[in-house]
């Protein structure tokens, strides 16, 4: 009874207005105080470019033009502001820089998008505990799709193998190397629940992580300072830190990227599941949903009364984990 | 040299006639530099050793900068370790200056007057170290400008870390500017004007309390970590701070008394010992209260304490540490609670050393690390700091000691009347 009331409440939540950011950010925003924004951006841009050029000319008189361009792009990237406060032009500059930088480094081209949320969409996810058999295809697909660090075996999804008779994560293991499904066991996957009341975004000192209007909790990898307060605040182990430079082999790189999603990360920043924002904002399902061989994973628009996720919420006996914390996950579990 | 009260200066009453004494300031800085770079053989050996440790720390930090935080023992499950532990502890040491400031400026207790400048120097060194530990802990120190108010995006008042940045920096500014004003006035043979410094000192009292409370709230606000999500966190932080901070100060004041002509009266030490004793007794009571709650009817939320005190599923890296800490805190508290032993300088000093070490372990390894163990889904991934991490930590401590020594040496020289402005520059 109580459960269904809470779901209804959540489903009726309208797409939140864009989070109200603070007034200024970045060098250009500071300059903005005296002069109008466009001029400030132009001046800042010119000054930065000139500075970078000067530095480069000083230290690298015989440098290749590519090296100079790279230094210039990296310089500009370092001084860019928080993504939430960027104008459309600044966003497209930021993604063009990322594309060009990768091209200069590897000779290969990638496509980085900065597409915003779709209208009247709030994403939700359901996990069928009866169906999951622990094959881990979701984990593999997620790593490939999201360009996660191969060196440290980073994974957003954890599959916990439980003994039949109880749901107790302390007695379960996510570190199993045997044939699945194992007799007498069942499987539960955990990942970022994209809480409607996320404790992780509240604690971020720089607003480098936030909930988008379509309900996806994202990180601006350029703005994150790597203090890891969000990792301490998350009750679900949803966040990962790049303890060193992440390694993604060129041949395995997914070139279809999103600024807030699977673009390449640097060392010293936090990352997490984004419901495959590069896919979901294109109308596709996340890679884990598509990869699951048993159909245990369901994804969709909570605001669409005809969606599969709404059917599950209305017709199955669903539950969420650690509900007592009031985080309002948009991630439900159910059994057939 | 007769001290001439500033209030008798005809120019003083008229703000339009206030001007910055550039020549005197210049001379002060050169005199201070001179004082800091000259001293006894012991002084030079002390400073050289600290410099060596700082260089080792700097070297270790460059390897961390190049390779990333993977050179530390931290990982995705225990994502804060030795650095944040030390930060937490040092914030307490910084806040402890209030134990000297409050009696001096509010209760006008003359016994503390000489010790207060030393206490403030210690607060400055502790805050600088605390900030240092945050800087070495972040993944992108070059991007720290993102948390600068006005230039970056400052998530205030939502994020407790943003609050902590504010309180730390304001506390640092107060504790630099007021002692500087007082010393500089003495340097020019004038009485500092209480109308300037007393309000600032009163503010520093409030600030010291909020500094440590805010740091406790940084942890206590996280519902995800039951070990920290605890209303006693703030008061307990204050109690341990007023134990460890003044304990360290008692030891340092005695060293200064012995090494210089700046004599701290035994009465001052005894009054501080009383503060340490009461704070240590409160700490013990709070520890008992916490342990009762965790172990009388252990729940899922007691797992971290279970791990900390008794080990869990065969993992017990912190067990020996926490029992050592508790044992030495209890023994030291018992020593201090006996008047005769507290008045004996040998037992008093032993108790202060024990309390400092005990709280360093308890606040560091016993508070921050077990909050992450077991992790969110009940698995145990332990944490052991690496050599690099220990070297960086030692380097920052050496830097703090270096800074404190300079501040205290210059302060003592001014207070003893050894440093005075030359008449042509005044």
């Amino acid at each position: 009874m109580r459960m269904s009331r809470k779901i209804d409440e959540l489903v009726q939540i309208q797409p939140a207005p864009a989070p109200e950011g603070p007034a200024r950010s970045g060098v250009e925003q500071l300059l903005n105080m005296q002069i109008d924004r466009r001029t400030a951006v132009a001046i800042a841009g010119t000054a930065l470019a000139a500075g970078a050029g000067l530095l480069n000319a000083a230290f690298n008189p015989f440098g290749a033009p590519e090296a100079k361009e790279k230094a210039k792009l990296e310089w500009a990237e370092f001084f860019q502001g928080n993504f939430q406060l960027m104008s459309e032009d600044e966003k497209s500059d930021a993604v063009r820089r990322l594309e060009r930088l990768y091209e200069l480094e590897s000779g290969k081209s990638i496509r980085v998008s900065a597409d915003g949320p779709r209208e009247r969409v709030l994403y939700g996810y359901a996990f069928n505990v009866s169906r999951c058999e622990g094959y881990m295809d979701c984990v593999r697909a997620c790593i490939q799709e999201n360009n996660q660090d191969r060196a440290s075996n980073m994974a957003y999804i954890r599959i916990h193998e439980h003994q039949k008779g109880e749901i107790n994560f302390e007695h379960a293991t996510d570190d199993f190397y045997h044939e699945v499904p194992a007799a007498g066991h069942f499987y539960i996957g955990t990942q970022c629940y994209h809480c409607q009341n996320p404790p992780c975004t509240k604690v971020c000192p720089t607003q480098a992580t936030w909930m988008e209007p379509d309900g996806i909790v994202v990180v601006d990898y350029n703005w994150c300072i790597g203090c890891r307060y969000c990792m301490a605040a998350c009750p679900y182990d949803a966040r990962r830190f790049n303890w060193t430079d992440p390694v993604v082999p060129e041949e395995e790189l997914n070139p279809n990227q999103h600024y807030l999603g699977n673009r390449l990360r640097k060392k010293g920043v936090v990352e997490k599941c984004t419901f495959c924002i590069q896919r979901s904002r294109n109308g596709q399902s996340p890679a884990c949903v598509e990869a699951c061989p048993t159909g245990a994973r369901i994804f969709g628009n909570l605001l669409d009364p005809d969606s599969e996720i709404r059917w599950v919420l209305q017709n199955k006996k669903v539950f969420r984990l650690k509900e007592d914390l009031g985080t309002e996950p948009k991630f439900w579990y159910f059994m057939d | 040299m007769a001290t001439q009260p500033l209030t008798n200066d005809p120019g003083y009453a008229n703000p339009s006639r206030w001007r910055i004494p550039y020549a005197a300031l210049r001379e002060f800085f050169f005199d201070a530099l001179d004082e800091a770079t000259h001293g006894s053989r012991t002084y030079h050996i002390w400073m050289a050793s600290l410099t060596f440790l700082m260089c080792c720390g700097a070297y270790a930090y460059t390897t961390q900068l190049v390779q990333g935080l993977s050179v530390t023992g931290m990982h995705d499950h225990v994502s804060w370790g030795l650095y944040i532990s030390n930060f937490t502890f040092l914030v307490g040491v910084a806040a402890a200056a209030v134990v000297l400031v409050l009696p001096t400026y509010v209760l006008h207790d003359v016994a503390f007057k000489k010790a207060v400048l030393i206490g403030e120097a210690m607060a400055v060194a502790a805050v600088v170290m605390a900030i240092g530990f945050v800087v070495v802990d972040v993944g992108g120190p070059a991007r720290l400008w993102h948390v600068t108010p006005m230039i970056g995006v400052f998530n205030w008042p939502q994020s407790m870390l943003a609050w902590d940045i504010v309180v730390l920096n304001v506390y640092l500014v107060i504790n630099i500017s007021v002692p500087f004003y007082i010393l500089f006035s003495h340097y020019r043979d004038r009485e500092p004007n209480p109308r300037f410094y007393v309000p600032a000192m009163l503010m520093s009292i409030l600030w010291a309390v909020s500094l440590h409370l805010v740091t406790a709230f940084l942890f206590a606000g996280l519902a995800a970590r039951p070990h920290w999500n605890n209303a006693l966190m703030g008061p307990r932080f204050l109690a341990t701070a007023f134990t460890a901070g003044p304990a360290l100060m008692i030891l340092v004041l005695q060293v200064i008394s012995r090494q210089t002509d700046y004599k701290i009266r035994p009465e001052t030490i005894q009054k501080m010992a009383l503060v340490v004793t009461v704070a240590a007794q409160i700490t013990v009571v709070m520890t008992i209260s916490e342990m009762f709650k965790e172990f009388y009817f252990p729940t899922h939320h007691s797992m971290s304490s279970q791990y900390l005190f008794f080990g869990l599923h065969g993992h017990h890296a912190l067990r020996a540490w926490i029992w050592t800490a508790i044992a030495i805190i209890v023994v030291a508290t018992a020593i201090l609670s006996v008047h005769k032993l507290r008045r004996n300088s040998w037992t008093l000093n032993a108790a202060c050393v024990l309390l400092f070490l005990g709280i360093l372990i308890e606040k560091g390894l016993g508070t921050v690390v077990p909050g992450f163990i077991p992790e969110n889904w009940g698995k145990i991934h332990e944490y052991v700091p690496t050599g690099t991490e220990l070297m960086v930590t030692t380097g920052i401590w050496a830097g703090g000691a270096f800074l404190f020594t300079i501040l205290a040496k210059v302060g003592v020289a001014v207070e003893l009347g050894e440093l005075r402005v030359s008449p042509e520059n005044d």
Side-chain angles (χ1 to χ4, degrees), chain B residues 263-286:
Chain B
K263 301 298 175 204
I264 306 291
R265 282 189 282 172
E267 189 194 346
T268 313
I269 304 285
Q270 276 307 313
K271 281 187 176 173
M272 288 178 70
L274 204 58
V275 173
V276 174
T277 309
V278 174
Q281 288 165 341
I282 294 173
T283 299
V284 171
V285 171
M286 285 179 170

Side-chain angles (χ1 to χ4, degrees), chain A residues 22 24-27 30 33 78-80 82 85 154 158 160 169-170 172-174 190 193 201-207 221-229 231-241 243-245 267-269 321-322 324-325, chain B residues 64-72 74-80 137-147 150-156 158-162 165 217-219 222-225 228 300-301 303 313 372 375-379 381:
Chain A
R24 291 171 292 274
S25 152
V27 170
L30 180 70
M33 287 193 288
F78 180 78
F79 284 104
Q80 80 189 26
N82 185 319
L85 303 168
M154 187 191 285
R158 289 172 67 179
H160 306 258
F169 280 83
E170 274 163 46
T173 173
D174 64 337
T190 60
Y193 292 163
T201 61
K202 185 174 185 174
V203 300
C204 177
T206 60
Q207 293 186 15
Y221 314 121
N222 277 78
W223 196 251
C224 170
I225 58 169
C227 70
R228 309 188 295 292
Y229 198 7
M231 296 179 79
C234 173
Y236 305 107
D237 184 39
R239 288 172 172 263
R240 301 285 176 267
F241 185 69
W243 297 94
T244 189
D245 275 311
K267 74 164 181 260
V269 300
L321 294 174
K322 299 194 190 181
D324 51 328
L325 298 180
Chain B
Q64 184 189 303
L65 273 182
V66 172
Q67 292 173 43
L69 284 156
S70 57
V71 299
T72 70
M74 293 184 273
H75 45 79
D76 277 344
H77 300 295
V78 181
S79 47
W80 283 342
D137 187 69
V138 299
R143 294 189 295 273
L144 274 175
W145 63 273
H146 296 177
V147 280
M150 315 302 284
I151 296 171
V153 176
F154 200 54
N155 191 10
W156 192 87
Q158 293 271 317
S159 170
M160 290 318 292
L161 200 52
I165 292 167
F217 291 170
L218 195 150
F219 295 101
L222 303 183
R225 311 283 169 184
W228 299 337
H300 178 76
H301 287 177
M303 294 320 255
H313 310 313
F372 292 103
E375 52 90 43
N376 296 139
W377 296 116
K379 312 295 187 293
H381 300 272

Side-chain angles (χ1 to χ4, degrees), chain B residues 11 32 88 91 98 111 113 117 121 161 179 218 242 290 329 337:
Chain B
T88 311
V91 167
V98 76
K113 195 122 197 178
L117 278 171
L161 200 52
L218 195 150
F242 295 149
E290 237 172 21
I329 290 172
S337 303

